[in-house]
C-alpha cells in the first residue's frame, strides 16, 4: 500500500482496490447518474491507460504546459465566461452550464490513483468533460452522455468509458438504443478518431475564441441533432441572488 500522495488520496491494498472496482462497476451500471461510482471505476481500472495519456501529454508542447501549470476548472476560473461575446467558446460554455444549473466544482475528487501526476491527469479529464459537451454539442441526458462516452473511449481508451457505453445503453428504450448504435456510436468513432487529442488542449486559453473557428481548428465533428424526444429541455433558472450566493 502506497503512502498518502495528495490531500484526497486513499491508499488501498490491491485486493481492496479490486473489490471496490467490481462493486462500483455494478453500481454504476445500475445507476449511471451516480458520478461518484463512475469516477471510482475510472480510478481503479484505468492505471495503464492513464499512463498512456500522460505519455502523450508529455510528448506534446501544450500537454507539457498543462502538466506543468496544472490548471483547474473552478467556479472562479470560469467566472469571466459569462461576460464574453455570444459567439465565443467561453460564452457557449457559460450558456451550457447556466441552462442546466451546473457548477464547475461538482466533479468528485480523485481518491484511488496511486500516482500524484496521474491523479491530476484523471482530474483534468473530469474537469474538461463539460468543455467536450459544448464542443461536440452533446446533451447531458443518458443518451447524450453515452454518445460522448463513446467518443471519450476512442480518444482516451479509459476502460470506464467503454464499460459505460456497453452496460448503460440497456437502460435506454429499444428505439433509442438502436439510434445510439446505428448513428451516434459510428459518429463517436469518426469524430474521436479525427479530432485533435482532447487532453492536449489548453481550453482556458481558448475561451475568447470563436466557437465555430475553434471547432475547425480542433477538427471537431459536432454530434448529429437528436430527435425531439431526446433534445435538451431547459431547467428553470435559479433566482439571480441565489446564483450569486452559490458563486461567492
Amino acid at each position: 500500500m502506497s503512502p498518502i500522495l495528495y490531500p484526497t488520496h486513499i491508499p488501498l491494498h490491491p485486493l481492496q482496490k479490486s473489490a471496490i472496482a467490481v462493486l462500483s462497476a455494478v453500481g454504476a451500471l445500475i445507476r449511471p447518474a451516480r458520478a461518484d461510482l463512475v469516477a471510482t471505476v475510472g480510478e481503479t481500472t484505468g492505471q495503464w491507460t492513464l499512463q498512456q495519456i500522460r505519455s502523450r501529454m508529455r510528448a506534446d508542447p501544450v500537454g507539457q504546459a498543462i502538466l506543468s501549470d496544472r490548471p483547474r476548472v473552478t467556479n472562479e476560473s470560469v467566472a469571466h465566461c459569462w461576460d464574453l461575446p455570444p459567439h465565443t467558446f467561453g460564452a457557449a460554455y457559460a450558456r451550457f452550464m447556466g441552462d442546466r444549473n451546473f457548477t464547475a466544482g461538482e466533479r468528485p475528487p480523485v481518491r484511488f490513483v496511486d500516482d500524484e501526476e496521474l491523479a491530476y491527469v484523471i482530474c483534468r479529464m473530469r474537469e474538461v468533460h463539460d468543455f467536450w459537451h459544448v464542443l461536440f454539442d452533446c446533451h447531458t441526458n443518458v443518451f447524450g452522455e453515452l454518445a460522448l462516452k463513446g467518443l471519450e473511449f476512442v480518444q482516451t481508451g479509459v476502460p470506464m468509458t467503454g464499460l459505460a457505453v456497453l452496460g448503460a445503453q440497456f437502460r435506454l428504450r429499444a428505439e433509442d438504443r438502436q439510434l445510439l448504435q446505428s448513428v451516434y456510436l459510428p459518429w463517436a468513432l469518426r469524430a474521436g478518431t479525427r479530432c485533435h487529442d482532447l487532453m492536449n488542449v489548453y481550453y482556458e486559453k481558448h475561451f475568447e475564441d470563436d466557437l465555430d473557428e475553434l471547432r475547425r481548428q480542433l477538427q471537431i465533428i459536432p454530434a448529429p441533432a437528436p430527435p425531439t424526444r431526446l433534445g435538451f429541455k431547459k431547467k428553470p433558472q435559479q433566482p439571480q441572488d441565489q446564483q450569486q450566493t452559490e458563486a461567492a
Side-chain angles (χ1 to χ4, degrees), residues 110-199:
V110 180
R111 296 177 294 169
F112 303 117
V113 177
D114 297 329
D115 181 295
E116 190 265 344
E117 189 172 51
L118 292 182
Y120 174 75
V121 170
I122 198 167
C123 175
R124 178 69 174 173
M125 190 182 308
R126 286 177 192 167
E127 291 183 350
V128 301
H129 177 83
D130 287 328
F131 296 151
W132 298 347
H133 271 287
V134 174
L135 289 169
F136 290 97
D137 198 18
C138 278
H139 184 23
T140 49
N141 57 10
V142 173
F143 187 91
E145 288 288 359
L146 289 179
L148 190 60
K149 288 296 183 189
L151 186 145
E152 285 186 51
F153 182 68
V154 173
Q155 268 275 313
T156 68
V158 172
M160 176 271 299
T161 58
L163 291 172
V165 175
L166 287 174
Q169 64 175 289
F170 293 101
R171 295 178 62 86
L172 299 173
R173 296 189 303 179
E175 59 181 320
D176 295 340
R177 186 164 62 251
Q178 174 62 28
L179 181 65
L180 179 74
Q181 294 171 351
S182 63
V183 175
Y184 283 83
L185 292 185
W187 161 80
L189 177 61
R190 183 171 69 255
T193 303
R194 173 182 169 178
C195 71
H196 190 83
D197 190 331
L198 297 174
M199 291 299 292

Side-chain angles (χ1 to χ4, degrees), residues 239-248:
Q240 187 66 26
D241 56 347
Q242 183 177 350
Q243 293 184 20
Q244 291 174 348
T245 298
E246 291 180 354

